[in-house]
Amino acid sequence: MEDPYSFCEICRINHTSGKKHSFSSKHTARLKTILKKFGSKISDSKKKLLNPVISKASSELSAVNVWCYMCSVEVKRHVADHHAIIMDAGLLEHLATSEHAKKVHQFFWENRLSKEQKKNYLVNEEGLDSFKEALKNALACYENEEETQLKKVINDDRCNLRATV
């Protein structure tokens, strides 16, 4: 015997409405809220495609995760190494995967959303490639700035050391 209940990930409830549930006012209101919230995170990230932002490594920034409503997975928002954090790189890489594209298609199909909005939740390969190229330049500039600051600190320490002797 088939179970009459279905679970809606958007509303986080079990229901017996079948496919009609996606047209309910509660479901559409929650869906609008989710798409607006997730869409703003994506649009902020997409602004960094041509101008990557790199900052000093910190445990708070490296631990930031984003829930992808389409894939139902948690994604690291930023990519970090020991010295620097590349802002939104993790989210952009996730948005460019073929698995995410499949899940976006499925999400839009199940929730009866217009196909025109799909592109807002995806990053194409060309966009990711241009991000990686811009990132190379940004990393070179960041490393030069860090090296210059380090040399300045070393020179200041030497001057202070000579003044005390």
Side-chain angles (χ1 to χ4, degrees), residues 3-163:
D3 188 14
Y5 290 96
S6 299
F7 182 72
C8 175
E9 292 278 337
I10 304 298
C11 301
R12 313 229 357 112
I13 60 166
N14 286 316
H15 62 86
T16 57
S17 304
K19 293 181 181 180
K20 292 188 288 183
H21 172 74
S22 62
F23 297 106
S24 70
S25 59
K26 181 180 177 184
H27 181 83
T28 54
R30 294 242 332 137
L31 191 60
K32 277 185 184 179
T33 304
I34 285 170
L35 291 176
K36 185 176 180 182
K37 181 179 172 184
F38 190 51
S40 69
K41 291 177 184 177
I42 291 174
S43 65
D44 288 346
S45 295
K46 283 184 172 184
K47 290 175 186 174
K48 295 177 180 113
L49 275 173
L50 297 177
N51 297 314
V53 177
I54 302 170
S55 65
K56 287 189 176 188
S58 71
S59 59
E60 298 91 36
L61 284 176
S62 62
V64 174
N65 293 324
V66 174
W67 182 258
C68 178
Y69 292 96
M70 280 69 177
C71 301
S72 297
V73 295
E74 199 169 44
V75 178
K76 281 205 172 287
R77 184 163 187 167
H78 313 299
V79 173
D81 69 359
H82 301 294
H83 307 290
I85 293 179
I86 304 164
M87 304 300 282
D88 294 316
L91 181 57
L92 289 170
E93 286 179 353
H94 172 74
L95 296 174
T97 62
S98 62
E99 184 64 29
H100 177 74
K102 289 176 191 173
K103 295 285 185 168
V104 167
H105 178 72
Q106 180 182 357
F107 184 87
F108 273 66
W109 177 260
E110 289 172 356
N111 292 291
R112 315 295 192 268
L113 298 168
S114 68
K115 293 178 183 179
E116 292 79 39
Q117 293 180 354
K118 267 194 221 181
K119 67 181 185 304
N120 298 333
Y121 299 94
L122 298 169
V123 172
N124 57 21
E125 286 293 322
E126 295 83 29
L128 191 63
D129 290 342
S130 65
F131 173 72
K132 289 178 180 179
E133 285 299 315
L135 184 59
K136 288 177 187 177
N137 297 333
L139 276 172
C141 291
Y142 178 79
E143 289 170 356
N144 288 339
E145 287 177 23
E146 288 293 310
E147 191 175 316
T148 304
Q149 288 179 354
L150 184 61
K151 286 179 183 179
K152 183 179 178 187
V153 168
I154 290 171
N155 286 336
D156 289 347
D157 286 345
R158 285 183 185 161
C159 291
N160 290 338
L161 190 62
R162 287 184 194 147

